[in-house]
Amino acid sequence: MKYRSVFDIIGPVMIGPSSSHTAGAARIGRVARSLFGREPESIVVSFYGSFAETYKGHGTDVAIIGGLLDFDTFDERIKTAIKIAEDKGIDIEFRVEDAVPVHPNTAKITISDEKGELELTGISIGGGKIEITELNGFELRLSGNHPAILVVHNDKFGTIAGVANVLAKFSINVGHMEVARKDIGQLALMTIEVDQNIDDHVLDELSKLPNIIQVTKIAD
């Protein structure tokens, strides 16, 4: 079979020549889109390390934009994602950063509209797998491979226990959980990876707990 370009399908679940540079990049973008909850009006993508050196040739740029448009890794539209976004009037900027990252395949995404802004840093660790390492200034470790709940809250006694009780009430099994905070008693981010997709009524109940500021989810 003769490929038409480097962006042709080379496997059953992805578009592009490299699982790290395309499938992983698309997944980073899609996690950002899921957390933002809507299509952004402005996108700034900063590439570090290997991403910065090869993002054009490996299609990392179109992959991330495709993810931000909510395209899955095997979606043919990824090939023309930048044009699709520009036709929608979305402003796009790519930046190449000189800073040496902890992981060579690192991208920082800043997306915004008139309602708000989200900043996310992700790394592609190979085989299409990713980790989200920072979200709006909070350090975290989120694989993106499982459904997850992210809870922004005031760092107050009993808040974590309250969230855990709600999850137990709905028989939701927790696979991984961690809490990041900017300072004692200040804002904190609870990251909870679970074994099943979360219904909105669970999020509603969590949002009504004391000290909870915002609850969002990432679906599988």
Side-chain angles (χ1 to χ4, degrees):
M1 177 179 177
K2 184 178 180 180
Y3 294 117
R4 294 166 295 174
S5 74
V6 294
F7 299 115
D8 284 345
I9 301 174
I10 65 169
V13 294
M14 65 177 235
I15 300 287
S18 165
S19 59
S20 294
H21 287 252
T22 50
R27 296 194 67 229
I28 292 170
R30 204 170 187 210
V31 169
R33 167 62 184 267
S34 179
L35 292 172
F36 197 59
R38 57 194 182 274
E39 193 166 88
E41 295 176 356
S42 175
I43 298 170
V44 178
V45 182
S46 298
F47 292 114
Y48 298 81
S50 178
F51 272 0
E53 296 172 0
T54 64
Y55 75 91
K56 288 185 178 180
H58 281 180
T60 311
D61 49 355
V62 295
I64 282 188
I65 300 302
L68 288 167
L69 293 176
D70 206 24
F71 300 162
D72 210 334
T73 54
F74 51 80
D75 195 316
E76 291 276 345
R77 292 175 295 175
I78 283 180
K79 301 174 188 177
T80 55
I82 292 176
K83 185 178 186 307
I84 292 172
E86 289 175 343
D87 288 346
K88 289 173 174 281
I90 299 173
D91 183 62
I92 301 172
E93 179 183 354
F94 296 110
R95 298 176 181 173
V96 174
E97 303 291 351
D98 294 327
V100 178
V102 174
H103 191 280
N105 298 331
T106 299
K108 181 172 72 174
I109 299 171
T110 303
I111 51 179
S112 61
D113 61 12
E114 74 282 354
K115 295 180 181 179
E117 179 179 285
L118 179 143
E119 184 178 275
L120 176 149
T121 300
I123 61 176
S124 179
I125 60 178
K129 295 182 178 180
I130 67 169
E131 285 186 5
I132 306 303
T133 59
E134 187 174 340
L135 176 64
N136 291 337
F138 290 102
E139 293 183 0
L140 71 158
R141 188 183 63 183
L142 178 64
S143 73
N145 296 320
H146 306 284
I149 305 169
L150 282 78
V151 182
V152 179
H153 60 97
N154 292 315
D155 183 30
K156 301 293 184 181
F157 176 80
T159 304
I160 296 174
V163 170
N165 287 336
V166 170
L167 299 181
K169 173 183 173 180
F170 291 100
S171 300
I172 296 170
N173 192 48
V174 175
H176 174 79
M177 177 177 177
E178 64 179 46
V179 179
R181 59 186 183 181
K182 296 184 177 181
D183 203 351
I184 297 174
Q186 302 299 313
L187 282 181
L189 174 67
M190 204 180 309
T191 307
I192 310 163
E193 291 191 336
V194 297
D195 291 340
Q196 67 261 49
N197 283 321
I198 306 300
D199 292 333
D200 287 340
H201 67 270
V202 177
L203 302 184
D204 290 340
E205 185 151 343
L206 288 171
S207 66
K208 294 175 182 176
L209 292 172
N211 300 310
I212 302 300
I213 296 171
Q214 183 182 23
V215 181
T216 55
K217 68 176 179 178
I218 301 174
D220 191 10

